[in-house]
């Protein structure tokens, strides 16, 4: 079974398109859709409940209080693991899949490549740049992870390699960066150069618009990188002098863009 993991918060303008893009998938593997609504204050709940009533494959979980992206997603992972899913496909509530054969392409790839645990595709904002395969430790660090979350499908058994309690305690603003960094130490990654998803670039947790938010996210990028490098004995090549220089440059870029807007 494929479990589609959708974390959402105040996505009333986007969540219907996200769900529709999942339900329109043509795939020979059974599918179940897990939607974690992190106490949205808009009409997200109304939209999700309507879809859940119409399709029994949808498991809709409404949080009573806002937990944050990491805790919301980890709770979905725990439910998915308890239900015995074989594969997990990721989709944020403000993105959508543009190819109805996305899941089938990825499942067929994993069936043919037993050594690969995670496969991702191209997406609309990424273009056709070739993505490295195999051991991806060196794609982390200053450049960040190369996998856009909405394009990823991985074997559910990989979650056993991650200490979800530890990840939740770290309270990183995003989960994909550290989680896929962990996966990269235990499996190879595969890449399909097919555009199957649309990543909406707008104000969000991973793309804050305020000056304070942007600076905070850059610091968190460094914290995630440092945490991975320490956890895996230097395999992520963290260097303080590079990190500090990178952060100083980021400050100048952010300030320049901010002043330019004014």
């Amino acid at each position: 079974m494929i479990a589609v993991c959708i974390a959402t918060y105040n996505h009333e303008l986007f969540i219907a398109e996200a769900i529709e893009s999942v339900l329109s998938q043509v795939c020979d593997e059974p599918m179940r859709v897990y939607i974690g609504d992190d106490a949205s204050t808009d009409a997200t709940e109304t939209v999700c409940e309507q879809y859940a009533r119409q399709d029994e494959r949808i498991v809709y979980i409404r949080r009573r209080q806002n937990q944050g992206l990491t805790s919301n997603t980890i709770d979905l992972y725990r439910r998915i693991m308890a239900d015995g899913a074989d594969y997990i496909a990721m989709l944020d509530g403000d993105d959508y899949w543009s190819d109805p054969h996305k899941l089938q392409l990825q499942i067929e790839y994993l069936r043919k490549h037993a050594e690969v645990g995670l496969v991702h595709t191209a997406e609309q904002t990424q273009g056709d740049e070739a993505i490295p395969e195999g051991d991806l430790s060196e794609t982390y660090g200053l450049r960040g992870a190369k996998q856009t979350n909405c394009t990823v499908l991985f074997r559910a058994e990989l979650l056993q390699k991650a200490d979800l309690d530890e990840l939740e305690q770290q309270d990183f603003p995003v989960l994909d960066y550290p989680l896929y960094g962990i996966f990269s130490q235990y499996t190879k990654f595969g890449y399909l150069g097919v555009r199957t998803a649309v990543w909406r670039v707008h104000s969000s947790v991973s793309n804050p618009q305020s000056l304070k938010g942007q600076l905070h996210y850059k610091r968190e990028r460094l914290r995630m990188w440092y945490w991975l490098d320490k956890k895996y004995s230097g395999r992520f090549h963290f260097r303080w002098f590079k990190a500090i220089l990178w952060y100083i440059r980021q400050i100048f870029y952010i300030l320049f863009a901010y002043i330019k807007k004014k």
Side-chain angles (χ1 to χ4, degrees):
M1 180 187 77
I2 302 173
V4 180
C5 182
I6 302 178
T8 186
Y9 175 70
N10 284 357
H11 289 151
E12 66 173 326
L13 299 178
F14 313 119
I15 190 63
E17 189 168 21
I19 296 172
E20 288 283 358
S21 73
V22 174
L23 299 181
S24 65
Q25 288 292 302
V26 180
C27 186
D28 62 17
E29 187 80 19
M31 178 180 68
R32 187 173 297 166
V33 187
Y34 294 78
I35 304 174
D37 178 359
D38 201 14
S40 294
T41 58
D42 61 5
T44 297
E45 179 182 11
T46 302
V47 177
C48 291
E49 284 185 336
Q50 181 178 356
Y51 276 99
R53 286 194 298 268
Q54 295 172 353
D55 197 311
E56 61 182 11
R57 294 175 296 176
I58 296 176
V59 179
Y60 173 60
I61 301 101
R62 165 78 179 182
R63 314 292 179 201
R64 293 184 178 180
Q65 294 181 331
N66 185 272
Q67 299 181 5
L69 178 62
T70 293
S71 292
N72 185 21
T73 305
I74 286 176
D75 178 72
L76 291 178
Y77 284 157
R78 290 187 175 117
R79 292 171 186 266
I80 289 168
M81 293 170 70
D83 288 347
D86 301 297
Y87 308 95
I88 299 176
M90 300 303 300
L91 181 63
D92 297 327
D94 53 348
D95 300 329
Y96 66 95
W97 293 338
S98 55
D99 187 338
H101 302 286
K102 173 190 181 292
L103 294 182
Q104 186 64 39
L105 289 170
Q106 293 179 299
I107 288 296
E108 289 178 356
Y109 184 93
L110 290 182
R111 288 170 179 168
K112 293 177 182 177
H113 299 84
E115 77 283 4
V116 174
L118 180 152
V119 58
H120 61 112
T121 70
E123 40 82 11
Q124 184 168 305
T125 61
Q126 184 180 50
D128 298 319
E129 177 188 2
I131 307 298
E133 300 182 45
D135 180 359
L136 296 191
S137 299
E138 298 210 19
T139 71
Y140 283 77
L142 299 181
R143 290 176 289 171
K146 288 288 187 179
Q147 305 79 39
T148 305
N149 203 41
C150 59
T151 71
V152 166
L153 182 143
F154 60 87
R155 301 184 194 274
E157 62 192 32
L158 281 173
L159 286 176
Q160 298 173 10
K161 304 295 185 181
D163 186 333
L164 296 181
D165 290 334
E166 181 185 12
L167 273 170
E168 192 166 18
Q169 289 169 5
Q170 290 296 321
D171 194 29
F172 294 125
V174 295
L175 184 59
D176 52 344
Y177 182 105
L179 184 66
Y180 302 158
I182 292 171
F183 290 174
S184 74
Q185 302 307 292
Y186 300 97
T187 189
K188 291 183 177 180
F189 286 17
Y191 174 70
L192 294 169
V194 181
R195 294 182 181 181
T196 67
V198 174
W199 173 38
R200 297 185 196 273
V201 181
H202 64 110
S203 180
S204 63
V205 172
S206 59
N207 189 41
Q209 297 300 301
S210 70
L211 179 61
K212 182 178 179 181
Q214 291 182 63
L215 291 173
H216 173 72
Y217 184 70
K218 297 301 182 182
R219 291 194 298 271
E220 287 294 287
R221 275 274 302 276
L222 293 181
R223 185 165 74 93
M224 287 184 274
W225 181 24
Y226 176 77
W227 179 79
L228 283 169
D229 191 60
K230 186 177 180 180
K231 186 176 181 66
Y232 291 102
S233 304
R235 288 210 64 204
F236 288 86
H237 310 288
F238 182 91
R239 300 292 183 272
W240 276 111
F241 73 94
K242 287 185 178 181
I244 293 171
L245 288 175
W246 176 84
Y247 185 66
I248 291 173
R249 285 198 299 269
Q250 297 305 307
I251 292 175
F252 279 111
Y253 295 151
I254 291 170
L255 288 174
F256 178 76
Y258 185 77
I259 293 171
K260 192 175 179 180
K261 285 182 181 180
K262 294 293 185 179

